[in-house]
């Protein structure tokens, strides 16, 4: 008999491409995931992972087994959903993936509220880029994702993934206190052509949005500094090294030397909760989505 937890570990490695990524998604240590894979290799008498430089690659046999594991996990999920629905109470493990500012601005209150209201529910949070989270939901690696899109870059939801709107998060232009824009009530996108920018690295949703937005306004952005964290971006702006467009959710108070200026039109990103449609009846999903929408309203998401 193949052990389901070991198949789950192999499936996670196939999705994330590394033992460390699988461990982060599953809430285990990398050592624990490696042990699961080693035991599965003994059970199947098959080599499943091969060393490739500093990482690992799945063998052909492992890829076949991971594909089978995905189908088995879907069957198990359906059985668990049915049992939980019959009980009528949120129970079991619920894995949530959220992008950084949502993990900071929404999830602490949501997780604490779910823990108080549903003590039999084991909720686990992983910080995930929105580009990746939808696919992780579709493949069954996480149960629920909090993702976002922008007004000019809609979020694609693949077949079998359901979604609900949490709310809209507005974005401000942040400039150094001595910047010419600091005293203005609003700035048009067409006025931004000569600015030096601080933003997230390429491949992230926010970076792609900034480039698309400015190009649509006839500007090619001069991106001088790249930083993942909003707080790092704020520090760079405060030092006079550039301007940034930063959403309000999870931003916190602005540091000294940074001024927020309204952009015209105001950039808006829409936040979504996404989950597998086959798990829609699961009480844990229903409770989590409701908590996200309530917390979103409290955080000022319209």
């Amino acid at each position: 008999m193949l052990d389901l937890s070991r198949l789950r570990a192999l499936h996670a490695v196939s999705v994330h491409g590394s033992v460390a990524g699988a461990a982060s998604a599953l809430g285990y240590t990398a050592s624990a995931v490696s042990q699961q894979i080693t035991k599965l290799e003994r059970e199947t008498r098959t080599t499943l992972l091969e060393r490739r430089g500093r990482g690992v690659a799945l063998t052909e046999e492992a890829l076949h087994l991971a594909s089978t594991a995905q189908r088995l996990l879907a069957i198990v999920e359906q059985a668990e959903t049915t049992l939980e629905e019959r009980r009528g109470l949120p129970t079991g493990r619920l894995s949530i993936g959220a992008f950084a500012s949502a993990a900071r601005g929404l999830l602490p209150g949501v997780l604490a509220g779910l823990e108080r209201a549903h003590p039999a529910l084991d909720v686990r949070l992983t910080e995930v880029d929105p580009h990746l989270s939808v696919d992780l939901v579709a493949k069954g690696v996480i149960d629920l994702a909090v993702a976002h899109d922008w007004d000019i870059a809609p979020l694609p939801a693949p077949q079998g993934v359901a979604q609900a709107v949490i709310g809209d998060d507005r974005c401000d232009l942040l400039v150094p206190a001595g910047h010419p824009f600091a005293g203005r009530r609003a700035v048009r996108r067409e006025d931004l052509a000569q600015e030096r920018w601080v933003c997230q690295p390429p491949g992230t949703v926010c970076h792609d949005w900034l480039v698309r937005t400015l190009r649509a306004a006839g500007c090619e952005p001069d991106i001088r500094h790249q930083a993942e964290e909003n707080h790092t971006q704020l520090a760079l702006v405060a030092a006079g090294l550039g301007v940034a467009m930063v959403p309000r959710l999870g931003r916190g108070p602005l540091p000294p030397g940074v001024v927020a200026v309204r952009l015209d039109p105001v950039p808006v990103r829409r936040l979504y909760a996404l989950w597998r449609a086959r798990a829609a009846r699961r009480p844990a999903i229903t409770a989590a989505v409701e908590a996200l929408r309530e917390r979103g309203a409290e955080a000022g998401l319209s």
Side-chain angles (χ1 to χ4, degrees), residues 22 54 68 78 99 111 114 129 150 158 190 228 230 234 237 258 291 301:
R54 296 184 178 180
T68 303
Q78 190 62 51
F99 61 94
L111 298 179
L114 289 172
D129 188 271
W150 290 93
E190 293 79 6
E228 289 276 2
N230 286 349
L234 293 178
V237 173
V258 177
L301 302 181

Side-chain angles (χ1 to χ4, degrees), residues 41-62:
E41 287 182 323
R42 287 203 298 265
E43 289 175 350
T44 59
R45 301 182 181 87
T46 304
T47 299
L48 300 175
L49 298 183
E50 295 178 337
R51 287 288 173 188
R52 294 279 179 84
R54 296 184 178 180
V56 296
L58 274 69
T59 63
E60 288 295 325
E61 292 81 2

Side-chain angles (χ1 to χ4, degrees), residues 173-179 182 233-244 253-261:
L173 177 68
L174 303 185
V175 303
H179 193 281
Q233 294 180 40
L234 293 178
L236 293 168
V237 173
L241 297 172
V243 302
L254 296 179
V258 177
V259 176
V261 182

Side-chain angles (χ1 to χ4, degrees), residues 162-226:
Q163 64 183 34
V165 175
I166 298 172
D168 290 341
D169 186 22
R170 282 158 174 74
C171 181
D172 296 311
L173 177 68
L174 303 185
V175 303
H179 193 281
F181 290 161
R184 291 174 57 170
R185 294 185 58 187
V187 174
R188 298 178 305 164
R189 297 178 185 183
E190 293 79 6
D191 298 334
L192 302 174
Q194 304 304 317
E195 297 305 316
R196 298 182 302 171
W197 288 94
V198 176
C199 77
Q200 291 185 328
T204 59
V205 174
C206 292
H207 179 280
D208 294 349
W209 175 86
L210 175 65
V211 171
R212 287 190 194 184
T213 297
L214 294 185
R215 285 177 179 170
C219 313
E220 185 64 31
D222 178 10
I223 298 174
R224 297 293 183 93
H225 307 289
Q226 301 173 20

Side-chain angles (χ1 to χ4, degrees), residues 24-46:
S24 177
L26 294 172
Y28 301 151
T29 64
S31 176
V33 172
S34 294
Q35 290 175 18
Q36 294 280 53
I37 301 298
T38 299
K39 291 177 181 177
L40 186 59
E41 287 182 323
R42 287 203 298 265
E43 289 175 350
T44 59
R45 301 182 181 87
T46 304

Side-chain angles (χ1 to χ4, degrees), residues 2 5 23 50-51 83 123 128 147 164 171 202 219 245 271 280 288:
L2 296 175
S5 62
E50 295 178 337
R51 287 288 173 188
L83 288 173
V123 187
V128 181
C171 181
C219 313
M245 282 196 273
L271 274 64

